[in-house]
Amino acid sequence: GVQPNTISYTAIINAAKLEGSAKAVEDAYEVFKGIELSMRNRRTYTAMIGAFARVRRTEDAWTVFEEARQHVSPDRIMYSAIMGAMAHDTNKVKRLHKEMIAQGLGDDDV
């Protein structure tokens, strides 16, 4: 059979995010927890953060972001996902934005 890889795992998490139900996101989290740390990348973490944000599991989104920071360098997309998840906490969003700028990940030119 075909062995799952980072791309297939991330696709499953993204599908759950798009489906949008609490059950789909919980199932995606079970998949995420089964992924070896060495196979998790920015996209995998960002997908899980976005899935949690979709069902308003903000603390879980934050926990995944904190773990991600231990293993990968967040990019603008990941920062955007976590700031969206934390939209209810203006101070945290401001701190994250400041951190993003300090990392050299400036705002998009619109």
Side-chain angles (χ1 to χ4, degrees):
V2 176
Q3 288 295 315
N5 61 24
T6 303
I7 295 167
S8 58
Y9 285 131
T10 303
I12 290 167
I13 296 166
N14 274 318
K17 178 177 74 174
L18 291 171
E19 196 272 353
S21 71
K23 169 92 172 84
V25 171
E26 184 57 35
D27 290 346
Y29 188 46
E30 291 303 315
V31 168
F32 178 82
K33 290 190 295 187
I35 304 170
E36 293 176 35
L37 276 176
S38 64
M39 291 183 71
R40 295 179 189 175
N41 64 18
R42 279 189 200 107
R43 288 185 176 147
T44 310
Y45 283 114
T46 301
M48 197 67 245
I49 291 165
F52 279 141
R54 175 87 188 253
V55 295
R56 294 181 173 79
R57 287 177 59 178
T58 57
E59 291 305 314
D60 289 323
W62 185 255
T63 299
V64 170
F65 179 69
E66 288 286 296
E67 178 189 306
R69 287 204 283 202
Q70 304 299 313
H71 302 285
V72 298
S73 297
D75 59 6
R76 275 193 286 197
I77 299 166
M78 187 184 294
Y79 273 110
S80 178
I82 193 60
M83 286 189 283
M86 297 291 121
H88 65 283
D89 185 341
T90 309
N91 289 328
K92 189 172 272 188
V93 171
K94 286 178 183 174
R95 282 195 308 275
L96 285 163
H97 186 257
K98 210 179 265 190
E99 180 182 305
M100 185 180 91
I101 300 300
Q103 300 276 338
L105 303 171
D107 291 330
D108 289 329
D109 295 326
V110 179

